[in-house]
């Protein structure tokens, strides 16, 4: 019985996708019965998740951010399940992810996300799977309850994360939001490292469709050295598969524009002379 | 047993947040067990809802618009429950909110929102809580069934709400949508007053991510005198906590730009010389 | 008993809306009890779905795209039910719609959409309604498993669909996403015709809020001759009712700008001299 080359290729493509799905989602995949399910295996897994440019932990953070932003509860549940079952993430890290997501997409949406996580913890417990709660003893939160101390810390953290001057006080959005909490508390928390927070933030600003936050975070992710240009280009493809090609188009454009800008700044001290007025990023 | 100053501050922060949550959400709060839940109390309630700049009724309208837009059903349900239990809103006013939301975020999403409201009415009834259906006898709708009469009224209402000329007829989006219904019927309905409609609209255009509607409604909210500059800056912070900091960044930028524009117009008749071509707002 | 003219008009308006709802949604409508439900009949059905400018099949594709994008599960379910019950769409066509939606709004959101479709198939089966699975024997997918062959086909298909040069290779987003799959596989599939794919794409880019994809697809839909200017203006109104007036504002603006641009190009060969750099559309 002869098999055409194309047939073999299609089978090979499917086989590669199924193997990756099994490893990444930590369940046995069923044979897909619809175009969406077939291309999830043949394209999204076989031809995107398979790419070496960024590691699977980072791809997972992008995927869960996109799924949470899209209210895609079944996809989100499956990723939470797999992230815990494979010990890729601890429960504490996923709780911290949800807080970071709350800041970038709002507390109401994050409450839904937390419900999905709790359901998966019940499911894993029912299956007798032991999950890792935390890797280290719980540290004290780095943020003081005193708002003035938090704002001072927020101004310093803002400069480090955004590679530009901190915004002025006196505007509620900036003073009581950005300085007091977003950089005065959230980004200084120990629950996730800075690189983890970058992936979540980049996916969330991409979801939020606001031009300056996208450009600012794409810029600072590369400028800080946290994420390379090649990794950023992989991020865009991973984001496209999970949030759609149109939203990813502006992300791709911003990656190229900000990379060019950084190259033009190469010999200049990071954030002082970069032309940002310090009020952009969020 | 000595307690450090910071510890007392953290306890005080939590206590303030819990008390506000109890008053605003009309239920006894449980001690938060996750970072998201803890910061909802310590930051969103203790440090945002506590601010005096805008009243709680207005904050509620912003919160329910954001939660409905975010498909955050549990947060939305809790706000509907509290809004009725405290008699802050009547059932008729929430029904009217849902219609206003339908126009700015689409009828399909509003249908989901209405289902959440109905569930909360059942819950309140089961708890034996009497809710206020309406404060006044139901008035006749202000809008005639005749389309030409509605469009004429829509042109006048458009000028009053948007502080600029009405868009031209002949384009289905403007003539059969904006003039015939959005301003010919919706904004002329008596179910909510104009200031209530402003809060909902501002939150919804912020959710919708479209530049000109955001700028137009930010402009006209202040130009009309319905909402002050300081209130607008509080709106941005309230919006940020419920829809995320990135979306709120453009809102903040627009508030400052439109405030500057209005100051430049101070001695000029409101809508004739303002440079808008009358086709912008939606 | 005398009845005022306005009263008769309001009754006539309601009657027209109810009749259209019955035909289009394939169920007996109940008398609406809320402002949202009343205006769905009196405005969305009586004054938008009733318009002759585009056919009901196209209006349905816009409505389901918007409802799926808005996570409006009950509206989406009702449209899937009606689309199958009236044999307006086959099951295969709706499965193909879901794949197209996955590419433009992400696979996670499309997985939810597919669940809703499956529930409606169960409902129709329980009601004893026979649905049409497919009109033609299932063709082999037009896309080869070999990536190089797909990319070559993708470059050709990109030019035909977007009326401009294909983007360069070497960028993951473009090479492995746009060329390899979006135009190398999706748009070449036989499951829906090009005009069907246009309606879905236009609604989805409108939902995604990204400027260049909106402008590109509005341009190419008209430039290719697939959709006329008048049809595009009807699309904007249909989109507005299902996704809100603010998002539709930029769509309307783009329709006018792109129509003007195409008129300026009238005597020039379609895609070579049009000023696009070939990297825009997604």
């Amino acid at each position: 019985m002869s098999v055409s080359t194309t047939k073999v290729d299609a089978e090979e493509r499917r086989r590669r996708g199924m193997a990756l799905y099994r490893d990444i989602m930590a369940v046995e995949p069923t044979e897909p019965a619809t175009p969406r399910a077939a291309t999830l295996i043949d394209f999204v897994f076989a031809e995107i998740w398979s790419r070496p440019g960024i590691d699977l932990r980072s791809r997972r953070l992008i995927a869960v951010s996109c799924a949470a932003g899209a209210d895609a509860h079944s996809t989100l549940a499956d990723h939470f399940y797999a992230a815990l079952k494979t010990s890729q993430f601890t429960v504490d890290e996923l709780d911290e992810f949800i807080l970071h997501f709350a800041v970038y997409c709002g507390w109401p949406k994050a409450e839904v996300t937390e419900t999905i996580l709790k359901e998966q913890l019940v499911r894993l417990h029912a299956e007798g799977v032991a999950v890792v709660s935390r890797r280290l003893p719980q540290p004290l939160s780095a943020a003081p309850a005193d708002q003035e101390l938090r704002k001072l810390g927020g101004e310093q953290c803002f400069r480090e994360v955004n590679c530009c001057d901190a915004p002025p006080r006196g505007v509620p959005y900036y003073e009581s939001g950005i300085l007091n909490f977003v950089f005065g508390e959230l980004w200084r928390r120990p629950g996730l490292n800075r690189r983890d927070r970058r992936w979540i933030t980049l996916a969330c600003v991409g979801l939020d469709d606001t031009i300056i936050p996208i450009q600012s975070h794409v810029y600072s992710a590369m400028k800080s050295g946290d994420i390379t240009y090649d990794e950023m280009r992989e991020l865009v493809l991973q984001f496209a598969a999970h949030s759609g090609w149109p939203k990813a188009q502006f992300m791709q454009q911003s990656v190229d524009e900000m990379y060019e800008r950084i190259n033009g700044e190469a010999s200049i001290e990071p954030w002082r002379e970069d032309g940002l007025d310090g009020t952009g990023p969020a």
Side-chain angles (χ1 to χ4, degrees), chain A:
Chain A
M1 193 171 90
S2 82
V3 179
S4 76
T5 312
T6 304
K7 186 68 168 51
V8 169
D9 285 350
E11 279 173 3
E12 165 55 21
R13 190 186 181 197
R14 174 66 51 89
R15 202 178 305 117
R16 195 167 65 247
M18 294 291 258
L20 268 159
Y21 187 93
R22 188 181 298 114
D23 287 352
I24 291 164
M25 302 311 287
V27 291
E28 195 58 37
T30 53
E31 196 61 33
T34 62
R36 180 207 57 82
T39 54
L40 180 72
I41 297 297
D42 296 344
F43 174 55
V44 179
F45 278 88
E47 300 180 351
I48 297 184
W49 281 85
S50 61
R51 294 171 63 91
I54 47 178
D55 63 286
L56 290 177
R57 180 185 165 92
S58 304
R59 288 194 184 277
R60 182 90 73 191
L61 284 172
I62 300 163
V64 292
S65 300
C66 293
D71 302 307
H73 298 170
S74 55
T75 301
L76 181 60
D78 292 346
H79 278 295
F80 278 159
Y81 174 87
L84 291 169
K85 191 174 175 188
T86 60
S87 300
Q88 190 185 39
F89 286 84
T90 66
V91 178
D92 274 9
E93 285 169 337
L94 294 184
D95 275 337
E96 190 68 25
F97 155 73
I98 290 170
L99 174 58
H100 200 99
F101 178 78
V103 170
Y104 283 87
C105 293
W107 264 262
K109 219 174 179 81
E111 186 173 325
V112 180
T113 305
E114 192 168 297
T115 303
I116 310 286
L117 174 58
K118 283 178 184 159
E119 288 168 0
Q120 294 311 303
L121 286 169
V122 171
R123 176 181 166 200
L124 286 156
H125 183 75
E127 291 182 5
V129 177
V131 301
V132 183
S133 281
R134 62 181 57 133
R135 295 195 213 279
L136 301 167
Q138 183 78 334
L140 293 173
S141 168
D146 179 78
Q147 287 201 43
E148 179 55 30
L149 288 179
R150 257 189 286 145
K151 288 173 196 168
L152 285 169
E155 284 163 338
Q156 187 188 333
C157 180
F158 185 98
R159 286 190 294 268
E160 291 167 11
V161 170
N162 293 292
C163 308
C164 67
D165 284 326
R169 297 194 183 190
V171 181
Y173 171 77
Y174 287 114
E175 178 167 342
S176 300
I178 294 283
L179 296 177
N180 171 56
F181 189 80
V182 181
F183 295 96
E185 186 155 347
L186 177 77
W187 278 85
R188 297 163 77 199
R189 289 172 61 96
L192 288 171
N193 66 35
R194 183 153 298 176
R195 191 170 146 91
D196 285 343
R197 293 192 187 278
R198 292 282 187 197
W199 299 118
I200 306 166
T201 305
L202 288 163
C204 288
V205 293
L207 291 168
D208 279 329
D209 303 308
T210 315
I211 291 172
I212 289 181
I214 295 175
Q215 292 175 330
S216 299
H217 283 290
V218 165
Y219 170 81
S220 61
M222 290 190 286
K223 181 75 175 179
S224 63
D226 287 345
I227 299 185
T228 69
Y229 176 53
D230 281 343
E231 286 175 327
M232 288 296 279
R233 306 201 316 170
E234 283 298 325
L235 158 91
V236 176
L237 182 59
Q238 179 79 355
F239 177 74
H242 293 82
S243 296
W245 262 259
K247 281 186 190 291
Q249 186 276 337
F250 185 70
M251 186 79 83
Q252 178 60 48
Q253 182 185 324
S254 299
V255 167
D256 289 332
E257 288 172 1
M258 293 301 118
Y259 181 66
E260 200 169 320
R261 175 177 155 201
I262 290 167
N263 280 341
E265 299 167 348
S267 59
I268 301 169
E269 193 272 337
W271 51 267
R272 288 215 172 271
E273 315 262 353
D274 60 8
L276 276 185
D277 64 1
T279 58

